[in-house]
Amino acid sequence: MAAREGVLSSAGTDAARETGAPRSWYRDAEGGVHRDLPPRELMQAARAAGGTLWVDIDSTSRHQIALLEKVFEFHHLAIEDTLNPNSRVKLEEYPGYLFLIVRGVRFQEETDDPYDLETFNLCFFLGAGYVVTVHGEHAESVHAVAERIAASPDVLERGPGRLMHAIVDASVDAYFPIVDRIDDFVDGLEERIFQQFDESALRDIFSVKRLVLSLRRHLAPQREIFNVLTNRPSTLLAPETQLYYRDVYDHVLRINDSLEAFRELLGSTMDSYLTQVSNRLGHSTKGLTGVATITIPFVVISGMWGMNFSRIPLADHPLGFWILLGGQLAIGVLLLVVLRLLRFL
C-alpha cells in the first residue's frame, strides 16, 4: 500500500471526492498516518493487523455506500438501516463487528420556529481495526473529531473503540446546548406569566413541551444502548475502553433527568398559567357583578314608574324625579355594602 504521510492537501481531498472515495484516515502499525485511501487500499487497511482505520461515508453518495458491501462486506440488513433515516436507535452484533445507530439532534436554524428540532441518524461499524461512520449532511460530532485528527493524528493511536467513543461522546454532548436553551426559556417563564402575563407564553409552553417530549423519545433508547456498551463484555471493546462509554452513559442519564424535570416544570407552569387566566376572569366577573348590582335599582324602579297607568305615586310631585333618583342610588349603595359584608365582592 502506497503510504501518504500526514494529511493530504485540499486539492488531494477534492480529487478523492470527485472519484467517489470517502474521507478516511489510517494509522498503520509503524505509526504512519495516511488519508483518503482509494478503495483497494481501504480493503487492505481494514484487514491489516495493528492499525486503526476510520472511514467516513456520505449516505447520499451511492458510490460510497457501495463500499460498505464491496470493501467491508457488511450485512445487507445493516447497510439498509444506514440508508433509512427512520431506522431506530439500536446496537447489533454481527460476526466480526458491531453495528450501532445513535440519534443526533440540532436546532433547525433555517426556519423561523426557535424550537424546531431536526434529528438524524449516525451509524457506526466497529471492527477489530476499523471504524466506519455513515451519516447525511449534518453530523457536527464527526466533523469535530475529524478536525481533532487533522490537528493531532495521535487520536488514532488509541484504537477504534476510543475513536468511536470520541464521536459518540461529541454527538451526545450536542444535547447540552439544547438543554441549556430550554433552561433559559423556563427561567423567563415566571416573569412572563406572573409579572407581565404574556398571552403568547402558552403557545411557547406547548412548543417547548413538545420539544422536551421529542428529546426524551430520542434519548431513552440510547440510554439502554450505552448501558449495554458499558457493561456487556465484548471482544471489540476492552474493559478499559468501556469505562469511557460509562462517561457517555452518565451524560445521557444527566440529560434525561434534566428533561424529566423540565417536563414536570412545564406542566406545573401551564397549570399556573391557566390558574392566572381563571383568576383574571374571576376579577372581571366581580367587576361586572358590581356594575350589574348598581344598575338593578335603576332598572326596577325606572321600569315600575314607567308603566302606563293614570295614577302613579309621585307623578305630580315637583321633586318626584330627584326623590326616585336618590332612592335608586341609595338602594344601589346599600346592595354594594351588603355584598361586601358577605364577601361576594
Side-chain angles (χ1 to χ4, degrees), residues 157-231:
E157 286 185 35
R158 303 166 185 171
R162 291 286 305 278
L163 178 59
M164 187 175 78
H165 162 265
I167 302 173
V168 167
D169 186 42
S171 178
V172 172
D173 287 346
Y175 282 80
F176 283 107
I178 299 176
V179 172
D180 292 339
R181 185 180 295 191
I182 297 175
D183 190 25
D184 293 338
F185 168 79
V186 173
D187 288 341
L189 279 179
E190 183 177 353
E191 180 181 355
R192 295 179 63 186
I193 292 177
F194 295 102
Q195 297 183 16
Q196 304 174 359
F197 193 69
D198 187 357
E199 296 183 357
S200 65
L202 184 61
R203 182 182 65 251
D204 290 339
I205 291 174
F206 276 112
S207 298
V208 177
K209 192 172 184 180
R210 184 174 63 250
L211 172 61
V212 169
L213 293 176
S214 177
L215 288 173
R216 292 182 72 245
R217 185 176 68 252
H218 296 310
L219 199 64
Q222 297 188 125
R223 179 177 57 187
E224 300 302 323
I225 284 177
F226 290 118
N227 185 31
V228 172
L229 286 173
T230 300
N231 298 303

Side-chain angles (χ1 to χ4, degrees), residues 40-253:
R40 184 169 57 183
E41 295 185 7
L42 286 177
M43 184 180 300
Q44 297 174 4
R47 290 159 175 74
T52 299
L53 172 67
W54 177 24
V55 182
D56 186 35
I57 299 291
D58 182 1
S59 62
T60 62
S61 172
R62 61 185 181 88
H63 297 289
Q64 296 186 25
I65 290 295
L67 299 178
L68 298 176
E69 180 180 3
K70 296 179 180 179
V71 173
F72 296 96
E73 300 179 351
F74 294 137
H75 198 281
H76 67 91
L77 290 178
I79 297 176
E80 182 179 337
D81 284 335
T82 63
L83 299 177
N84 184 4
N86 298 319
S87 295
R88 64 179 180 86
V89 175
K90 65 172 65 176
L91 173 64
E92 294 180 344
E93 187 170 358
Y94 289 90
Y97 62 92
L98 293 177
F99 177 58
L100 171 67
I101 299 180
V102 297
R103 185 82 66 178
V105 294
R106 77 178 190 99
F107 277 118
Q108 186 78 19
E109 303 293 348
E110 293 79 8
T111 63
D112 296 331
D113 187 355
Y115 308 110
D116 191 5
L117 191 68
E118 180 186 10
T119 62
F120 52 89
N121 283 343
L122 183 57
C123 306
F124 298 85
F125 294 90
L126 175 65
Y130 62 84
V131 174
V132 179
T133 54
V134 184
H135 59 86
E137 179 181 0
H138 301 293
E140 295 301 325
S141 59
V142 174
H143 302 321
V145 175
E147 291 178 358
R148 286 173 54 188
I149 293 179
S152 175
D154 294 340
V155 177
L156 298 173
E157 286 185 35
R158 303 166 185 171
R162 291 286 305 278
L163 178 59
M164 187 175 78
H165 162 265
I167 302 173
V168 167
D169 186 42
S171 178
V172 172
D173 287 346
Y175 282 80
F176 283 107
I178 299 176
V179 172
D180 292 339
R181 185 180 295 191
I182 297 175
D183 190 25
D184 293 338
F185 168 79
V186 173
D187 288 341
L189 279 179
E190 183 177 353
E191 180 181 355
R192 295 179 63 186
I193 292 177
F194 295 102
Q195 297 183 16
Q196 304 174 359
F197 193 69
D198 187 357
E199 296 183 357
S200 65
L202 184 61
R203 182 182 65 251
D204 290 339
I205 291 174
F206 276 112
S207 298
V208 177
K209 192 172 184 180
R210 184 174 63 250
L211 172 61
V212 169
L213 293 176
S214 177
L215 288 173
R216 292 182 72 245
R217 185 176 68 252
H218 296 310
L219 199 64
Q222 297 188 125
R223 179 177 57 187
E224 300 302 323
I225 284 177
F226 290 118
N227 185 31
V228 172
L229 286 173
T230 300
N231 298 303
R232 179 183 295 177
S234 174
T235 57
L236 298 173
L237 289 175
E240 56 271 17
T241 301
Q242 288 182 309
L243 292 176
Y244 291 91
Y245 287 91
R246 185 179 302 173
D247 179 66
V248 180
Y249 178 60
D250 178 68
H251 289 177
V252 172
L253 292 181

Side-chain angles (χ1 to χ4, degrees), residues 284-298 336 345:
S284 300
T285 303
K286 283 186 177 182
L288 294 175
T289 302
V291 174
T293 301
I294 296 176
T295 58
I296 286 176
F298 291 89
L336 284 176
L345 291 178

Side-chain angles (χ1 to χ4, degrees), residues 295-306 328:
T295 58
I296 286 176
F298 291 89
V299 174
V300 174
I301 295 176
S302 299
M304 292 177 61
W305 262 259
Q328 291 169 349

